[in-house]
Amino acid sequence: MSHEPFDKPRMAINRVYTRRGDQGETSLAGGQRVPKDGPRLEAYGTVDELNSFLGAARARAGELAAREPQIEPFVAVLLRVQHELFNLGSILATLPEDVHPKQARITDAEIAQLETEMDRMNEELPGLRSFVLAGGSRLNAELHICRTVCRRAERALVTLSRAESVPPEAVRYLNRLSDALFVWSRWVSHITGAPETLWEPNQSASGLTG
C-alpha cells in the first residue's frame, strides 16, 4: 500500500505577476527576500530549467510511444522525475531553518530508483568504444540537452554548498540523474533503431584534410 510522506501543496495562484520582483529580488519559501542572481536562486532556477527540457523530452517520447509501445513505461519515468525535480526545487527554495518535516524533498529512495532503472536499461545496450555525440534522433538529442543542464544544476548545487547548507541527497540525485539521462538517451536510440553517432577525432576539419 502506497503512502504519502510529503505534504500536499498549499497555495493558490490567482495572479501571475505581483511586481514585487521588479527590483531584482524574489522571496524564498520562508518569506526572505533574496537577490535573483544569488547562488540559491541559480541552483533551483537551473533545476526548473531542467524540468522544462525534460517536459519537452517527455512530450517527444509520448509521440514515439504511439508506434513503439516499449517506450510507454519510459514516458511515466520521465513524468515521475519531473515531480521529483519539483520536490527538489521546493527544498532548495527553503532555508534549512524553515524546512518542515513533511516538506517535499529528495530522499535515498529516488536515488535508488534511478540506479535500478539505469542498470536495467544499460543491460540491453551494446558496449561503447568511444564517446557518443547527441543527435541520433530528436529524442536522443533532447535527453542529451537534459543531461548537460542536469550537470549544470549539479555544479550550481556544489557552488551553493560552499556557502550554505545543502541536503547531500540533492547533489547525489542530480549526479545520478545525469548518468541516467545518458543511459536513457542511448536506450531510446536502441529501442527505435536510431543510429548512434560516436565521436571520431579525425572527422574534424584538420583530420579530414590532413
Side-chain angles (χ1 to χ4, degrees), residues 10 32-33 68 79 89 91 93 95 104 129 141 155 166 200-201:
R10 298 172 183 173
Q32 301 89 347
R33 298 294 291 176
E68 296 284 355
L79 178 58
I91 208 72
L95 293 180
R129 61 174 180 83
R155 293 194 298 272
V166 170
E200 297 284 355

Side-chain angles (χ1 to χ4, degrees), residues 44 47-48 84-94 103-104 106:
Y44 74 72
V47 168
D48 186 34
E84 292 170 357
L85 288 172
F86 236 96
N87 290 353
L88 175 56
S90 169
I91 208 72
L92 292 177
T94 308
Q103 183 173 340
I106 290 297

Side-chain angles (χ1 to χ4, degrees), residues 143-174:
L143 291 170
H144 273 288
I145 291 171
C146 292
R147 175 184 62 80
T148 56
V149 176
C150 187
R151 286 294 192 198
R152 178 152 53 86
E154 181 187 2
R155 293 194 298 272
L157 254 67
V158 171
T159 298
L160 176 62
S161 70
R162 292 198 182 101
E164 302 182 47
S165 176
V166 170
E169 298 85 2
V171 179
R172 290 204 305 273
Y173 177 81
L174 288 177

Side-chain angles (χ1 to χ4, degrees), residues 14-195:
N14 297 316
R15 289 183 61 187
V16 175
Y17 68 91
T18 64
R19 299 192 180 95
R20 295 188 64 208
D22 291 352
Q23 302 304 312
E25 291 188 341
T26 191
S27 296
L28 297 178
Q32 301 89 347
R33 298 294 291 176
V34 295
K36 288 187 175 182
D37 61 350
R40 186 168 291 275
L41 269 293
E42 182 64 29
Y44 74 72
T46 309
V47 168
D48 186 34
E49 181 183 353
L50 169 60
N51 207 337
S52 296
F53 277 115
L54 206 64
R58 179 168 63 88
R60 177 70 58 179
E63 294 170 1
L64 289 175
R67 62 177 185 270
E68 296 284 355
Q70 286 177 276
I71 292 182
E72 187 64 44
F74 179 58
V75 178
V77 169
L78 294 180
L79 178 58
R80 189 199 74 233
V81 171
Q82 284 192 270
H83 286 297
E84 292 170 357
L85 288 172
F86 236 96
N87 290 353
L88 175 56
S90 169
I91 208 72
L92 292 177
T94 308
L95 293 180
E97 58 267 29
D98 293 327
V99 172
H100 187 274
K102 295 193 72 176
Q103 183 173 340
R105 68 192 71 198
I106 290 297
T107 73
D108 286 335
E110 282 75 32
I111 298 167
Q113 184 64 29
L114 286 177
E115 291 175 345
T116 297
E117 290 161 349
M118 199 184 337
D119 290 344
R120 184 177 65 248
M121 290 181 176
N122 202 42
E123 287 177 356
E124 302 179 32
L125 303 176
L128 278 175
R129 61 174 180 83
S130 180
F131 291 103
V132 179
L133 303 184
S137 69
R138 181 63 181 265
L139 180 55
N140 170 278
E142 288 173 341
L143 291 170
H144 273 288
I145 291 171
C146 292
R147 175 184 62 80
T148 56
V149 176
C150 187
R151 286 294 192 198
R152 178 152 53 86
E154 181 187 2
R155 293 194 298 272
L157 254 67
V158 171
T159 298
L160 176 62
S161 70
R162 292 198 182 101
E164 302 182 47
S165 176
V166 170
E169 298 85 2
V171 179
R172 290 204 305 273
Y173 177 81
L174 288 177
N175 181 273
R176 217 66 88 248
L177 178 57
S178 62
D179 290 337
L181 286 161
F182 175 74
V183 172
W184 294 343
S185 71
R186 297 193 67 212
W187 182 82
V188 297
S189 293
H190 176 70
I191 292 298
T192 60

